[in-house]
Amino acid sequence: MSRRCELTGIGPMVGHSVSHSNVKTKRRFLPSLKTVKVASEALGQTFSLRISNAALRTLDFKGGLDPFIVKAKDEQLSLAAQRIKRQVKAKIAEQAAAAA
């Protein structure tokens, strides 16, 4: 299982541990990931995604999964998230066609 956020694509970064004597040794900064059930209002179902805490805060700010995932770039999303994005876009288009 890769340590990569399914919505933002954030993965491990590399840096230095710096000691008191200023000796630098390589280290990895791993993202803070959580497995979260996220609800899609358009589809009426929940999805279990492994996302970073920052992405979780962004979901709250943007107003849920649907507005976030529609505007997200496909390069950042995992395959499961891309599948959800296609379903949400199709459902929104279907609702728009029915309203018109």
Side-chain angles (χ1 to χ4, degrees), residues 43-100:
L43 300 175
Q45 59 186 151
T46 60
F47 298 98
S48 181
L49 297 173
R50 197 156 180 229
I51 62 174
S52 65
N53 291 338
L56 189 59
R57 292 181 63 213
T58 304
L59 284 180
D60 289 339
F61 178 76
K62 298 279 185 178
L65 178 66
D66 298 339
F68 176 85
I69 208 164
V70 168
K71 291 185 179 180
K73 296 179 181 175
D74 285 341
E75 299 85 43
Q76 294 177 341
L77 299 174
S78 68
L79 292 176
Q82 288 177 9
R83 195 172 305 119
I84 295 168
K85 180 178 179 176
R86 281 194 301 273
Q87 292 174 353
V88 168
K89 282 182 132 178
K91 189 70 167 184
I92 291 173
E94 178 184 310
Q95 290 173 348

Side-chain angles (χ1 to χ4, degrees), residues 2-6 8 10-13 28-36 49-57:
S2 67
R3 294 198 174 263
R4 190 161 294 277
C5 177
E6 293 192 60
T8 59
I10 292 180
M13 294 190 293
R28 291 178 72 194
F29 294 93
L30 299 177
S32 176
L33 296 177
K34 272 186 171 176
T35 302
V36 179
L49 297 173
R50 197 156 180 229
I51 62 174
S52 65
N53 291 338
L56 189 59
R57 292 181 63 213

